[in-house]
Amino acid sequence: MKLFCAALTGLLMPLAAQVYTPPSPAPAPAGPPTDTASDGGGQGQQAGSPFGEEIPLLDPAAETVTVAGVTIPLGDSRVIKARFEKYLNEPPEDSEAARQYREDIDTILDLLSPMRHASLSGQRRGKPELAEAFKLLPAAASYPGDARISSTLAESVYTALLARNDSRNLKTINEKLDQEKQSKLVAADFKARNDKAKAIREKTTKTAESEVTETLTPGTGMNSLQYADYVKRIAEIEALKKTNIVRSEAALLASKTQLQGAMIQWFMQRRFQHVLMSTRFYNQIWRDGDRALNIKENSDVSRLFSESLGTTPTISTLDSLASEAIRDSEKAIEAFHYLLERDEIHTASQRLMEAFALGEYTTPVATLAREKKRAVQGYIRDLNLLYGAMQARDYAQAKDLVDSLKAQAKDFPSAKADGAIAGYTMASALALEEAKAHLLAKDNEKASKAYMQASTIWPTNPNLVEFKSLVGSSSQLVTSRNSFDRLLSEGNYREIAKRAEEGEFILAVRGDGERTDALKQIRENLRKIEVAISKASEFSRVGSDYAAYEQLARIREEFPDDPKLGREIELLAPRVADFTKALDRADKLSSRREPQLGSAMAHYLEAQAIYPNSELAQEGIDGLLDEILPQS
């Protein structure tokens, strides 16, 4: 589709493109299963992962959160991870403006509460105050953390109130039309019964007898024009009444659908306090008993609720789910405080991640002290490093990190990590001993295979250097070729380029067309990546992080598996999260089975507003325009 779709897909999903593209598929080298899960990409790991699901905090396989049986998608886990890391280093939202904002929200919910008529002491406080609550929405919308959602809610409520008043006016008009209809009916009935015409008598004389013939004068009674006008007006009144009813019902349905759509959107965004406000505004505006949500059948949202609840969701359903989500978030923060006091940092970090993923905008999460967040930030950083070390099969570094994590958190679940490290280091040592035995037996081919197996299991095994010295210069060429092939099969292209610069692989590939082409392609592509990274660094140095991100996104589209490029993008992601979030939403909306082009355009425009010179946003806009207004 559009270039932006391809670029963003290259950032978020593993693709076939890489720094080196082999001429034909090559068989995987013998040895233990490898783990190819992308770091934080939300992809499932292979069955042979040496370090499977022990770290669901930073690399969850399912990018969802469940509230009372309803599963809410969180979006791309890379973005969630970047936002969580940013959250851990942010100060708490405890400024005077933030406290006033939360007070306004609580006041609005209290003014709209159906329980307002009675307090705990039994004293009546009056009925819900819709008008007073509505007046507080502009003040709430002025707080930056509100993201102007309260303003959107105010507009939806205002539209609903206008539709309700219009419905009342149309009802009054219909009542007056009914009165006019009744008067016309009475007049028509009276005229039909009592308006008699004067008779014209004609006398005819016959031989046997005489008879009198009477003839009515035309244009009177039911034959009169006035009676016909009564009938016509009655028909017009009936038509006007039906038109008013249809118009009233259409306006009511449109306003209800608008407010309901906003509720569902805020629920999916986990803006649960705004969901509660909107449901209570809805219940105060519409008192006709119609509480079912107008959701398109077989849509994603419809399946979200029907598959979880088994019934059609209602306004009360959203209200209940939002309240449950807020409560779950508060309970998670309470558990976090308790676990942190007991130095159970591993479990505390999980509870904090749950609270953030579910209730990012709730008061307990937003007001959490920075000192307590920083208490787990270092642990999470080491946990992430451990995950990367295990993925890279650097078991020496992994062992150091496991020891560090055990010292930090007494509840750290180290069994799987210790077992994987011990098992794979032992397997590498045994394979290396086997290689030494074959080397002493002068069976270079078997020695080479055993050496490749040992280095594949544990590439940073320090004993590999000792084995290389045993091989000597006579087998240097074979060893270099084997190392080149091993690194190529592992996709470790930067190590190939580094060792080629040192002159190690020059002789190994000489005379071999396929290896020579592979080395040339790898060096050229890495040079392109380094140029892009250099340009992005220059952009960041002058304060243009969005330009730097687009520079990296372009090259990432072509080389999605380069680790250095991936790290550069991850370091840049927290500073451009608002921009990437807008692009991601636009792409998802435009790529649905039934594209929401208008909403997608709005998010592309949002991204362009954040970074006016964005080529990705402009290409997305141009692509949508081509779909909306195709050229003849």
PDB file of all heavy atoms in Angstrom, residues 435-456:
ATOM      1  N   ALA A 435      35.801 -31.288  19.644  1.00  0.00           N
ATOM      2  CA  ALA A 435      36.573 -30.706  18.545  1.00  0.00           C
ATOM      3  C   ALA A 435      38.070 -30.914  18.769  1.00  0.00           C
ATOM      4  O   ALA A 435      38.819 -31.209  17.823  1.00  0.00           O
ATOM      5  CB  ALA A 435      36.245 -29.215  18.423  1.00  0.00           C
ATOM      6  N   LYS A 436      38.526 -30.758  20.023  1.00  0.00           N
ATOM      7  CA  LYS A 436      39.947 -30.976  20.320  1.00  0.00           C
ATOM      8  C   LYS A 436      40.344 -32.426  20.045  1.00  0.00           C
ATOM      9  O   LYS A 436      41.428 -32.701  19.509  1.00  0.00           O
ATOM     10  CB  LYS A 436      40.224 -30.632  21.782  1.00  0.00           C
ATOM     11  CG  LYS A 436      40.127 -29.147  22.112  1.00  0.00           C
ATOM     12  CD  LYS A 436      40.405 -28.899  23.589  1.00  0.00           C
ATOM     13  CE  LYS A 436      40.303 -27.416  23.921  1.00  0.00           C
ATOM     14  NZ  LYS A 436      40.555 -27.159  25.374  1.00  0.00           N
ATOM     15  N   ALA A 437      39.439 -33.348  20.419  1.00  0.00           N
ATOM     16  CA  ALA A 437      39.740 -34.758  20.195  1.00  0.00           C
ATOM     17  C   ALA A 437      39.864 -35.074  18.709  1.00  0.00           C
ATOM     18  O   ALA A 437      40.782 -35.788  18.275  1.00  0.00           O
ATOM     19  CB  ALA A 437      38.659 -35.630  20.843  1.00  0.00           C
ATOM     20  N   HIS A 438      38.935 -34.526  17.912  1.00  0.00           N
ATOM     21  CA  HIS A 438      38.996 -34.758  16.464  1.00  0.00           C
ATOM     22  C   HIS A 438      40.238 -34.095  15.861  1.00  0.00           C
ATOM     23  O   HIS A 438      40.828 -34.619  14.905  1.00  0.00           O
ATOM     24  CB  HIS A 438      37.736 -34.212  15.794  1.00  0.00           C
ATOM     25  CG  HIS A 438      36.516 -35.028  16.058  1.00  0.00           C
ATOM     26  ND1 HIS A 438      36.471 -36.388  15.827  1.00  0.00           N
ATOM     27  CD2 HIS A 438      35.291 -34.679  16.537  1.00  0.00           C
ATOM     28  CE1 HIS A 438      35.267 -36.850  16.155  1.00  0.00           C
ATOM     29  NE2 HIS A 438      34.535 -35.822  16.595  1.00  0.00           N
ATOM     30  N   LEU A 439      40.628 -32.968  16.422  1.00  0.00           N
ATOM     31  CA  LEU A 439      41.809 -32.270  15.904  1.00  0.00           C
ATOM     32  C   LEU A 439      43.075 -33.088  16.156  1.00  0.00           C
ATOM     33  O   LEU A 439      43.951 -33.205  15.289  1.00  0.00           O
ATOM     34  CB  LEU A 439      41.925 -30.897  16.553  1.00  0.00           C
ATOM     35  CG  LEU A 439      43.036 -29.992  16.005  1.00  0.00           C
ATOM     36  CD1 LEU A 439      42.792 -29.651  14.543  1.00  0.00           C
ATOM     37  CD2 LEU A 439      43.148 -28.726  16.836  1.00  0.00           C
ATOM     38  N   LEU A 440      43.154 -33.672  17.354  1.00  0.00           N
ATOM     39  CA  LEU A 440      44.304 -34.518  17.667  1.00  0.00           C
ATOM     40  C   LEU A 440      44.322 -35.763  16.796  1.00  0.00           C
ATOM     41  O   LEU A 440      45.398 -36.300  16.475  1.00  0.00           O
ATOM     42  CB  LEU A 440      44.279 -34.913  19.151  1.00  0.00           C
ATOM     43  CG  LEU A 440      44.496 -33.759  20.149  1.00  0.00           C
ATOM     44  CD1 LEU A 440      44.327 -34.252  21.570  1.00  0.00           C
ATOM     45  CD2 LEU A 440      45.871 -33.119  19.949  1.00  0.00           C
ATOM     46  N   ALA A 441      43.106 -36.227  16.401  1.00  0.00           N
ATOM     47  CA  ALA A 441      43.027 -37.389  15.511  1.00  0.00           C
ATOM     48  C   ALA A 441      43.206 -36.983  14.054  1.00  0.00           C
ATOM     49  O   ALA A 441      43.066 -37.837  13.165  1.00  0.00           O
ATOM     50  CB  ALA A 441      41.687 -38.094  15.695  1.00  0.00           C
ATOM     51  N   LYS A 442      43.497 -35.732  13.811  1.00  0.00           N
ATOM     52  CA  LYS A 442      43.720 -35.178  12.470  1.00  0.00           C
ATOM     53  C   LYS A 442      42.495 -35.333  11.559  1.00  0.00           C
ATOM     54  O   LYS A 442      42.633 -35.454  10.351  1.00  0.00           O
ATOM     55  CB  LYS A 442      44.943 -35.832  11.819  1.00  0.00           C
ATOM     56  CG  LYS A 442      46.226 -35.552  12.564  1.00  0.00           C
ATOM     57  CD  LYS A 442      47.429 -36.140  11.853  1.00  0.00           C
ATOM     58  CE  LYS A 442      48.721 -35.822  12.620  1.00  0.00           C
ATOM     59  NZ  LYS A 442      49.921 -36.369  11.949  1.00  0.00           N
ATOM     60  N   ASP A 443      41.319 -35.322  12.188  1.00  0.00           N
ATOM     61  CA  ASP A 443      40.062 -35.325  11.421  1.00  0.00           C
ATOM     62  C   ASP A 443      39.544 -33.885  11.425  1.00  0.00           C
ATOM     63  O   ASP A 443      38.697 -33.515  12.237  1.00  0.00           O
ATOM     64  CB  ASP A 443      39.062 -36.279  12.057  1.00  0.00           C
ATOM     65  CG  ASP A 443      37.864 -36.531  11.147  1.00  0.00           C
ATOM     66  OD1 ASP A 443      37.637 -35.705  10.227  1.00  0.00           O
ATOM     67  OD2 ASP A 443      37.155 -37.526  11.358  1.00  0.00           O
ATOM     68  N   ASN A 444      40.109 -33.085  10.507  1.00  0.00           N
ATOM     69  CA  ASN A 444      39.792 -31.653  10.504  1.00  0.00           C
ATOM     70  C   ASN A 444      38.321 -31.371  10.227  1.00  0.00           C
ATOM     71  O   ASN A 444      37.764 -30.400  10.744  1.00  0.00           O
ATOM     72  CB  ASN A 444      40.664 -30.941   9.476  1.00  0.00           C
ATOM     73  CG  ASN A 444      42.128 -30.924   9.874  1.00  0.00           C
ATOM     74  OD1 ASN A 444      42.456 -31.064  11.060  1.00  0.00           O
ATOM     75  ND2 ASN A 444      43.013 -30.771   8.894  1.00  0.00           N
ATOM     76  N   GLU A 445      37.700 -32.195   9.401  1.00  0.00           N
ATOM     77  CA  GLU A 445      36.291 -31.943   9.057  1.00  0.00           C
ATOM     78  C   GLU A 445      35.396 -32.093  10.284  1.00  0.00           C
ATOM     79  O   GLU A 445      34.555 -31.226  10.572  1.00  0.00           O
ATOM     80  CB  GLU A 445      35.847 -32.915   7.967  1.00  0.00           C
ATOM     81  CG  GLU A 445      34.411 -32.646   7.489  1.00  0.00           C
ATOM     82  CD  GLU A 445      34.015 -33.553   6.345  1.00  0.00           C
ATOM     83  OE1 GLU A 445      34.880 -34.299   5.833  1.00  0.00           O
ATOM     84  OE2 GLU A 445      32.830 -33.532   5.966  1.00  0.00           O
ATOM     85  N   LYS A 446      35.566 -33.185  11.036  1.00  0.00           N
ATOM     86  CA  LYS A 446      34.751 -33.366  12.244  1.00  0.00           C
ATOM     87  C   LYS A 446      35.114 -32.336  13.307  1.00  0.00           C
ATOM     88  O   LYS A 446      34.247 -31.868  14.051  1.00  0.00           O
ATOM     89  CB  LYS A 446      34.945 -34.776  12.789  1.00  0.00           C
ATOM     90  CG  LYS A 446      34.323 -35.861  11.921  1.00  0.00           C
ATOM     91  CD  LYS A 446      34.473 -37.232  12.572  1.00  0.00           C
ATOM     92  CE  LYS A 446      33.803 -38.313  11.727  1.00  0.00           C
ATOM     93  NZ  LYS A 446      33.942 -39.664  12.339  1.00  0.00           N
ATOM     94  N   ALA A 447      36.394 -31.997  13.364  1.00  0.00           N
ATOM     95  CA  ALA A 447      36.805 -30.971  14.330  1.00  0.00           C
ATOM     96  C   ALA A 447      36.151 -29.632  14.016  1.00  0.00           C
ATOM     97  O   ALA A 447      35.720 -28.901  14.915  1.00  0.00           O
ATOM     98  CB  ALA A 447      38.332 -30.840  14.327  1.00  0.00           C
ATOM     99  N   SER A 448      36.076 -29.328  12.734  1.00  0.00           N
ATOM    100  CA  SER A 448      35.460 -28.070  12.336  1.00  0.00           C
ATOM    101  C   SER A 448      33.977 -28.050  12.688  1.00  0.00           C
ATOM    102  O   SER A 448      33.449 -27.045  13.187  1.00  0.00           O
ATOM    103  CB  SER A 448      35.647 -27.858  10.837  1.00  0.00           C
ATOM    104  OG  SER A 448      34.984 -26.697  10.405  1.00  0.00           O
ATOM    105  N   LYS A 449      33.275 -29.157  12.452  1.00  0.00           N
ATOM    106  CA  LYS A 449      31.848 -29.220  12.774  1.00  0.00           C
ATOM    107  C   LYS A 449      31.616 -29.091  14.275  1.00  0.00           C
ATOM    108  O   LYS A 449      30.705 -28.388  14.723  1.00  0.00           O
ATOM    109  CB  LYS A 449      31.265 -30.530  12.256  1.00  0.00           C
ATOM    110  CG  LYS A 449      31.150 -30.601  10.746  1.00  0.00           C
ATOM    111  CD  LYS A 449      30.513 -31.928  10.313  1.00  0.00           C
ATOM    112  CE  LYS A 449      30.370 -31.988   8.796  1.00  0.00           C
ATOM    113  NZ  LYS A 449      29.776 -33.274   8.342  1.00  0.00           N
ATOM    114  N   ALA A 450      32.453 -29.779  15.057  1.00  0.00           N
ATOM    115  CA  ALA A 450      32.297 -29.688  16.511  1.00  0.00           C
ATOM    116  C   ALA A 450      32.600 -28.286  17.007  1.00  0.00           C
ATOM    117  O   ALA A 450      31.941 -27.771  17.929  1.00  0.00           O
ATOM    118  CB  ALA A 450      33.207 -30.709  17.193  1.00  0.00           C
ATOM    119  N   TYR A 451      33.613 -27.657  16.415  1.00  0.00           N
ATOM    120  CA  TYR A 451      33.946 -26.286  16.803  1.00  0.00           C
ATOM    121  C   TYR A 451      32.790 -25.331  16.470  1.00  0.00           C
ATOM    122  O   TYR A 451      32.445 -24.454  17.274  1.00  0.00           O
ATOM    123  CB  TYR A 451      35.214 -25.838  16.081  1.00  0.00           C
ATOM    124  CG  TYR A 451      35.563 -24.388  16.309  1.00  0.00           C
ATOM    125  CD1 TYR A 451      36.218 -23.992  17.464  1.00  0.00           C
ATOM    126  CD2 TYR A 451      35.214 -23.406  15.378  1.00  0.00           C
ATOM    127  CE1 TYR A 451      36.529 -22.664  17.691  1.00  0.00           C
ATOM    128  CE2 TYR A 451      35.512 -22.072  15.604  1.00  0.00           C
ATOM    129  CZ  TYR A 451      36.176 -21.713  16.752  1.00  0.00           C
ATOM    130  OH  TYR A 451      36.477 -20.407  16.982  1.00  0.00           O
ATOM    131  N   MET A 452      32.196 -25.490  15.275  1.00  0.00           N
ATOM    132  CA  MET A 452      31.068 -24.636  14.898  1.00  0.00           C
ATOM    133  C   MET A 452      29.889 -24.842  15.841  1.00  0.00           C
ATOM    134  O   MET A 452      29.185 -23.889  16.206  1.00  0.00           O
ATOM    135  CB  MET A 452      30.645 -24.928  13.462  1.00  0.00           C
ATOM    136  CG  MET A 452      31.591 -24.374  12.410  1.00  0.00           C
ATOM    137  SD  MET A 452      30.895 -24.507  10.755  1.00  0.00           S
ATOM    138  CE  MET A 452      29.478 -23.429  10.901  1.00  0.00           C
ATOM    139  N   GLN A 453      29.668 -26.099  16.269  1.00  0.00           N
ATOM    140  CA  GLN A 453      28.584 -26.367  17.211  1.00  0.00           C
ATOM    141  C   GLN A 453      28.841 -25.676  18.549  1.00  0.00           C
ATOM    142  O   GLN A 453      27.944 -25.057  19.128  1.00  0.00           O
ATOM    143  CB  GLN A 453      28.424 -27.873  17.416  1.00  0.00           C
ATOM    144  CG  GLN A 453      27.240 -28.234  18.311  1.00  0.00           C
ATOM    145  CD  GLN A 453      27.080 -29.725  18.489  1.00  0.00           C
ATOM    146  OE1 GLN A 453      27.975 -30.492  18.127  1.00  0.00           O
ATOM    147  NE2 GLN A 453      25.962 -30.140  19.039  1.00  0.00           N
ATOM    148  N   ALA A 454      30.086 -25.748  19.025  1.00  0.00           N
ATOM    149  CA  ALA A 454      30.429 -25.106  20.297  1.00  0.00           C
ATOM    150  C   ALA A 454      30.279 -23.596  20.214  1.00  0.00           C
ATOM    151  O   ALA A 454      29.779 -22.948  21.143  1.00  0.00           O
ATOM    152  CB  ALA A 454      31.867 -25.477  20.694  1.00  0.00           C
ATOM    153  N   SER A 455      30.730 -23.021  19.093  1.00  0.00           N
ATOM    154  CA  SER A 455      30.634 -21.559  18.958  1.00  0.00           C
ATOM    155  C   SER A 455      29.205 -21.110  18.709  1.00  0.00           C
ATOM    156  O   SER A 455      28.839 -19.980  19.064  1.00  0.00           O
ATOM    157  CB  SER A 455      31.541 -21.086  17.817  1.00  0.00           C
ATOM    158  OG  SER A 455      31.145 -21.693  16.585  1.00  0.00           O
ATOM    159  N   THR A 456      28.392 -21.968  18.098  1.00  0.00           N
ATOM    160  CA  THR A 456      26.981 -21.604  17.889  1.00  0.00           C
ATOM    161  C   THR A 456      26.232 -21.603  19.207  1.00  0.00           C
ATOM    162  O   THR A 456      25.402 -20.717  19.471  1.00  0.00           O
ATOM    163  CB  THR A 456      26.318 -22.593  16.912  1.00  0.00           C
ATOM    164  OG1 THR A 456      27.005 -22.549  15.664  1.00  0.00           O
ATOM    165  CG2 THR A 456      24.852 -22.237  16.705  1.00  0.00           C
TER     166      THR A 456
END
